[in-house]
Amino acid sequence: MQERRGVRGVKSAARTVALLELLAGRGEEPSRLDQLAQDLGVPRSSMYQLLQTLVDSGWVRTDATGSLYGIGIRALLTGTGYLDGDRRIRLVRPYLDEASDALGETIHMARLDGRDVVYLATRESHEYLRTISRVGRRVPAHAGALGKALLAERTDGELPFGDGPLTALTENTHTDRAALLADLAGVRERGYSIDREETVPGIAGFGFALRYGTPVVDAISCSVPVARLTPEHEARVVAVMRDVRARIESRPPPMSGEPDWR
């Protein structure tokens, strides 16, 4: 347990958070008691008691046999509460609608969280639909337009990567640090990032960091199927997204007394 500002962390609270994050990350894949106890390094009896407490409160659900566990419906409260209570997300949403209407493509907003970006809002393309919402999805920051736009706002020495390998999502994802750093240098010079099938095969993305706060943690992007990405359409995407970014950044700062969350 780590201390922060002289306060020692609460072990039971940390264990509960770790369990909920683990279950949420597994999505549709259910987990068994022994598996959860092993993954979190918790005694089986302690894990069982914790699971039953969370099942009773609705934060974890179990099947009819009581042997499988997954994230519960009450967990949805935290996600919707975060989205509804964030002033920056509320500010950006109307501009995502404008960009979607102007381009007919999929538009995203995401936030940097450690080594990942987390999707906060999405407007789907008029041309194709996805069956799963991206809101709440985590993607390695080095692997796509949103993340690279945000990483480029930092110096190479400030990048949130250790010595381990960079995860590949497709055959085009940067896994070599030198190649990633060269790409980020190009983002800084160009003013926006480009993802050419680095996150999803067949999809290109264009990312734009939102510099309305320090440090820069939010970005918007436009995703386009490469099959219809002509040079003319790419130029229009960049022009529209640049204009949208400029108008978002021109909005006034928070009013006095209103939290500006970090």
Side-chain angles (χ1 to χ4, degrees):
M1 299 293 291
Q2 295 182 344
E3 293 188 8
R4 181 172 179 173
R5 297 179 182 176
V7 178
R8 185 173 177 81
V10 179
K11 186 176 182 179
S12 60
R15 182 176 291 175
T16 301
V17 170
L19 173 60
L20 292 173
E21 289 184 344
L22 180 60
L23 291 173
R26 289 181 174 169
E28 297 179 359
E29 179 186 352
S31 299
R32 295 185 179 274
L33 171 61
D34 290 342
Q35 178 185 11
L36 293 170
Q38 179 179 352
D39 289 347
L40 294 180
V42 176
R44 188 178 187 278
S45 59
S46 298
M47 177 57 68
Y48 179 76
Q49 293 174 3
L50 177 55
L51 284 167
Q52 295 314 303
T53 299
L54 294 173
V55 167
D56 290 342
S57 61
W59 286 84
V60 170
R61 60 180 172 175
T62 188
D63 70 335
T65 69
S67 61
L68 298 177
Y69 298 92
I71 197 70
I73 194 169
R74 298 284 292 183
L76 188 61
L77 291 173
T78 57
T80 56
Y82 182 89
L83 296 174
D84 293 342
D86 191 283
R87 186 189 71 88
R88 297 297 191 185
I89 301 173
R90 297 198 307 270
L91 181 154
V92 170
R93 279 172 176 159
Y95 294 96
L96 302 184
D97 293 333
E98 289 186 21
S100 178
D101 290 341
L103 296 170
E105 304 293 356
T106 299
I107 311 296
H108 305 292
M109 176 189 184
R111 181 164 293 165
L112 188 65
D113 182 32
R115 299 178 59 162
D116 300 330
V117 291
V118 180
Y119 286 79
L120 302 177
T122 293
R123 300 296 181 266
E124 293 289 356
S125 167
H126 300 183
E127 298 293 330
Y128 69 105
L129 297 176
R130 294 186 179 272
T131 58
I132 301 176
S133 172
R134 283 196 179 91
V135 174
R137 177 188 176 202
R138 302 180 72 91
V139 172
H142 69 276
L146 288 159
K148 291 194 296 181
L150 291 166
L151 294 179
E153 295 295 312
R154 289 143 178 81
T155 66
D156 291 349
E158 295 173 329
L159 297 180
F161 303 119
D163 297 328
L166 299 176
T167 303
L169 299 186
T170 74
E171 62 181 15
N172 294 326
T173 305
H174 289 304
T175 56
D176 177 75
R177 278 175 168 70
L180 176 62
L181 295 180
D183 192 345
L184 296 181
V187 175
R188 298 181 188 111
E189 180 178 354
R190 192 168 49 239
Y192 62 94
S193 65
I194 303 176
D195 162 7
R196 299 199 187 275
E197 302 185 80
E198 297 168 36
T199 308
V200 179
I203 301 294
F206 303 86
F208 299 77
L210 298 175
R211 304 182 184 101
Y212 49 30
T214 303
V216 178
V217 294
D218 293 346
I220 56 176
S221 73
C222 177
S223 297
V224 186
V226 295
R228 65 165 183 265
L229 185 60
T230 64
E232 294 76 16
H233 190 39
E234 179 170 331
R236 174 161 170 72
V237 166
V238 171
V240 168
M241 296 299 290
R242 273 179 166 160
D243 176 68
V244 167
R245 172 172 63 181
R247 288 189 291 124
I248 292 173
E249 293 177 344
S250 70
R251 294 292 299 271
M255 296 177 60
S256 177
E258 182 179 356
D260 187 17
W261 301 109
R262 301 294 179 180

